[in-house]
């Protein structure tokens, strides 16, 4: 069923805050190291890798020795500004170990909604990919505002990663989280929950099983519902997404070899990756 996944050439990889930070608010350097190693090796294999990373707020809070998100928007945006620059410093150090160049791309919703600026985003990403650079994408939290009259926010990086996959016509979106995949109920509260290995189509029953919008970690925003919203866009675009545990990011190699890990969202059971 998954044997053709290793044919995926253009791969978007999204990691959530829960993969990058320990519950105590400190950065998980082991996961960051493994990510840098894995993504750099994929580029060496000839894959085109686009990385969507959360963590600006989480890392920012750690920089400021704060243990919870401030409530006001300006404070959150200031924390994100501090954290984003530190996040990229951490990535620069790790990726340099593997001689892999990275580039930061911060996006807001309005950028991808206007055709001209949308095309410019595509051009930049295509150029970085051609240069064998790994674009590291995040929402531009310091300037995006979530107000009805000012729609600049994607809302969460799960959906942003699906939009990125759509923009650059990716073969596969790999979403790494703090959970092994999508279950029939939240496994952290329901021991009878069963892991779905593959989902062809999403319906209301599955959305109901996603357990609301709350995030499992205190620094992220997504929750399982936002992952299903992302999966819905991926399926509508006839693309593929795998949701898996990011505790050991090297499992990306196993995923691409077709091992039955995590939940695969794909319309067609028999069809392999596009390229
Ligand atoms: N049906 C479900 N299957 C798996 N996880 C679920 C489900 N419903 C709710 N969750 C919760 O969603 C969390 C993952 O979302 P989140 O914490 O936002 O991750 P990330 O930081 O990777 O974006 C899990 O840790 C779990 O607590
Ligand atoms: N843009 C925010 C992350 C928002 C978000 O979606 O977080 P997560 O649910 O951990 O992927 C940040 O960098 O802190």
């Amino acid at each position: 069923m998954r044997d053709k996944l290793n044919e995926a050439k253009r791969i978007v990889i999204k990691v959530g805050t829960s993969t990058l930070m320990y519950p105590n608010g400190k950065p998980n350097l082991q996961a960051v190291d493994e990510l840098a190693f894995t993504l750099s090796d994929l580029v060496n294999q000839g894959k085109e890798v686009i990385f969507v990373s959360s963590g600006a707020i989480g890392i920012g809070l750690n920089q400021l020795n704060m243990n919870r998100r401030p409530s006001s928007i300006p404070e959150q945006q200031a924390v994100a500004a501090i954290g984003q620059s530190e996040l990229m410093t951490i990535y620069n150090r790790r990726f340099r170990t593997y001689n892999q160049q990275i580039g930061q791309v911060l996006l807001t919703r309005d950028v991808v909604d206007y055709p001209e600026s949308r095309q410019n985003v595509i051009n930049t990403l295509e150029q970085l990919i051609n240069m064998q650079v790994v674009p590291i994408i995040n929402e531009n939290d310091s300037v995006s505002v979530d107000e009805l009259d000012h729609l600049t926010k994607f809302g969460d990086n799960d959906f942003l990663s699906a939009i990125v996959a759509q923009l650059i016509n990716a073969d596969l979106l790999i979403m790494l989280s703090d959970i092994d995949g999508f279950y029939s109920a939240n496994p952290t509260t329901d021991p009878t929950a069963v892991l779905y290995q593959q989902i062809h189509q999403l319906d209301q029953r599955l959305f109901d099983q996603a357990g609301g919008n709350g995030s499992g970690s205190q620094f992220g925003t997504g929750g399982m519902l936002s992952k299903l919203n992302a999966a819905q866009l991926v399926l509508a675009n006839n693309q593929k997404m795998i949701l898996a545990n990011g505790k050991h990011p090297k499992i990306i190699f196993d995923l691409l070899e077709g091992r039955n890990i995590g939940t695969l969202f794909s319309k067609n059971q028999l069809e392999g990756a596009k390229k």
Side-chain angles (χ1 to χ4, degrees):
M1 172 163 77
R2 296 186 179 193
D3 54 339
K4 295 239 173 99
L5 282 180
N6 63 359
E7 292 175 14
K9 180 161 166 116
R10 183 167 287 196
I11 304 169
V12 176
I13 293 159
K14 185 261 167 179
V15 295
T17 310
S18 58
T19 298
L20 300 168
M21 312 282 303
Y22 289 112
N24 68 4
K26 295 284 173 197
N28 181 338
L29 298 176
Q30 190 178 307
V32 173
D33 266 354
E34 240 184 73
L35 272 168
F37 167 79
T38 306
L39 273 51
S40 303
D41 195 65
L42 290 177
V43 176
N44 286 354
Q45 289 176 23
K47 306 279 189 200
E48 297 171 339
V49 176
I50 301 91
F51 185 25
V52 177
S53 175
S54 301
I57 301 223
I59 296 281
L61 291 175
N62 182 51
Q63 288 296 104
L64 295 166
N65 285 320
M66 292 166 75
N67 54 17
R68 66 180 64 204
R69 244 176 208 262
S71 53
S72 81
I73 299 284
E75 277 176 297
Q76 287 183 27
Q77 292 186 301
V79 171
I82 292 158
Q84 181 63 31
S85 104
E86 179 61 17
L87 184 64
M88 290 307 291
T89 302
I90 295 171
Y91 281 138
N92 258 310
R93 284 204 197 107
R94 302 300 172 207
F95 277 88
R96 196 170 298 137
T97 315
Y98 304 108
N99 287 325
Q100 180 57 55
Q101 184 63 53
I102 57 173
Q104 172 183 264
V105 180
L106 299 179
L107 297 175
T108 47
R109 175 107 213 180
D110 47 354
V111 167
V112 297
D113 280 348
Y114 288 99
E116 207 171 319
S117 47
R118 180 188 177 93
Q119 190 55 50
N120 284 331
V121 174
I122 295 171
N123 295 346
T124 304
L125 293 176
E126 291 286 353
Q127 186 62 45
L128 288 168
I129 293 165
N130 279 342
M131 294 160 81
Q132 293 180 322
V133 170
V134 173
I136 302 190
I137 302 174
N138 195 358
E139 176 144 26
N140 196 348
D141 296 313
S142 300
V143 301
S144 55
V145 181
D146 196 15
E147 290 172 15
L148 282 178
D149 59 345
H150 194 178
L151 287 173
T152 58
K153 213 167 158 52
F154 291 99
D156 62 76
N157 276 353
D158 297 327
F159 199 63
L160 172 60
S161 64
I163 289 179
V164 168
Q166 177 182 41
L167 284 176
I168 54 159
N169 200 15
D171 299 310
L172 180 65
L173 167 59
I174 298 176
M175 200 175 279
L176 298 180
S177 183
D178 61 349
I179 201 98
D180 288 345
F182 176 49
Y183 286 74
S184 56
N186 186 346
T188 61
T189 52
D190 185 343
T192 66
V194 181
L195 178 74
Y196 290 110
Q197 291 197 342
Q198 183 164 6
I199 290 197
H200 304 286
Q201 202 181 344
L202 286 162
D203 56 26
Q204 192 53 48
R205 184 183 59 93
L206 294 170
F207 275 98
D208 289 343
Q209 293 175 352
N213 214 2
S215 171
S217 77
Q218 58 172 317
F219 308 114
T221 57
M224 193 47 58
L225 193 57
S226 76
K227 287 164 188 35
L228 290 198
N229 284 328
Q232 196 165 41
L233 180 60
V234 165
L235 289 174
N237 290 326
N238 214 1
Q239 294 175 300
K240 292 178 171 52
M241 169 176 140
I242 293 185
L243 174 63
N245 200 320
K247 195 167 182 196
H248 299 293
K250 282 185 192 165
I251 62 149
I252 290 174
F253 296 126
D254 301 326
L255 288 175
L256 293 175
E257 275 172 18
R259 278 187 51 197
N260 256 346
I261 301 169
T263 304
L264 170 65
F265 295 86
S266 170
K267 260 190 184 167
N268 194 329
Q269 194 156 1
L270 299 172
E271 187 199 25
K274 271 190 296 163
K275 282 186 186 171

